[in-house]
Amino acid sequence: MRIVLVGPPGAGKGTQAEVLREHLGVPHISTGALFREHRRKQSELGRAVQEYLDAGALVPDAITNDMVRERLAEPDAENGFLLDGFPRNTAQLDVLADILAATGHDLDGVLELKLDEDAAVARLLARGRTDDTEAVIRHRQALYREETAPILEHYAGKVVTIDAEGTVDQVTARALRAVATLRG
Ligand code: AMP
């Protein structure tokens, strides 16, 4: 299965993707996690993206798209993936469409996790990642509203939306039901 997870910061995309990947047998590919891993290792890419991560700003598309192309070309992604955090704008959406077209595949669907912004802030402040200060969270939320949410319109007809409020288990149950509808 080829699924994109979309939702505001704090909706629990990463947490749910970790559970779903077990059920679906496909890798969880998180651009944020890939960037953080590069930063941890202080690779050239990690040093280049550090300031964007800290500011909660989008890493430039050229850097992000190259990294995603490489990751999706790895053998474990051949039979499917759960993409978390990509695409985040319409330019990235076009790149994903190109990557899929080149391999003759299509997305099975988009799983949208919906969560109120104030609930998301509370969750993220509890998580406490270095980019989880209230000011940076609010900036990431604004970017989500302005840049990322509009991609859902492009995926119209392919999107299943679930309520991301509640416990991890409650949201997982909703996510599994939603993914089952994508499976057809
Ligand atoms: P996330 O783990 O999805 O919350 O992403 C953490 C940070 O990584 C974001 O605030 C951005 O700085 C960067 N990032 C992750 N995915 C992307 C993307 N698709 N495009 C640009 N920047 C991204």
Side-chain angles (χ1 to χ4, degrees):
M1 288 202 86
R2 293 177 179 80
I3 295 179
V4 169
L5 290 159
V6 177
K13 298 184 297 294
T15 303
Q16 295 302 329
E18 279 299 300
V19 183
L20 290 178
R21 90 188 158 89
E22 303 265 335
H23 286 266
L24 302 176
V26 294
H28 166 206
I29 299 177
S30 156
T31 44
L34 290 170
F35 286 135
R36 283 188 291 278
E37 179 64 11
H38 277 285
R39 178 178 61 182
R40 191 183 63 75
K41 290 194 292 208
Q42 284 290 297
S43 67
E44 193 181 327
L45 177 66
R47 290 194 301 275
V49 303
Q50 183 148 337
E51 62 180 287
Y52 299 99
L53 299 192
D54 289 340
L58 291 189
V59 171
D61 285 343
I63 297 176
T64 306
N65 292 336
D66 281 354
M67 182 180 75
V68 170
R69 275 184 197 285
E70 274 183 31
R71 181 62 189 88
L72 289 181
E74 283 176 32
D76 67 331
E78 216 167 279
N79 293 315
F81 50 74
L82 280 162
L83 254 186
D84 158 14
F86 185 94
R88 245 177 167 92
N89 59 31
T90 50
Q92 294 181 5
L93 178 143
D94 291 340
V95 166
L96 180 59
D98 283 350
I99 295 173
L100 289 168
T103 54
H105 293 119
D106 200 1
L107 283 183
D108 291 281
V110 175
L111 178 62
E112 181 195 8
L113 277 68
K114 245 192 152 77
L115 186 69
D116 171 82
E117 290 200 354
D118 289 331
V121 172
R123 265 193 201 175
L124 292 172
L125 287 175
R127 177 175 73 177
R129 218 165 65 189
T130 55
D131 57 347
D132 286 338
T133 64
E134 179 146 6
V136 173
I137 292 168
R138 296 281 180 197
H139 180 58
R140 283 155 55 210
Q141 287 180 325
L143 278 179
Y144 177 77
R145 248 184 278 120
E146 289 156 19
E147 305 259 341
T148 308
I151 72 175
L152 290 166
E153 285 161 38
H154 292 259
Y155 286 130
K158 285 203 159 196
V159 182
V160 284
T161 303
I162 62 168
D163 178 7
E165 196 85 52
T167 65
V168 171
D169 287 349
Q170 285 169 332
V171 180
T172 299
R174 290 175 206 139
L176 287 172
R177 281 198 296 272
V179 166
T181 69
L182 294 176
R183 267 190 147 145

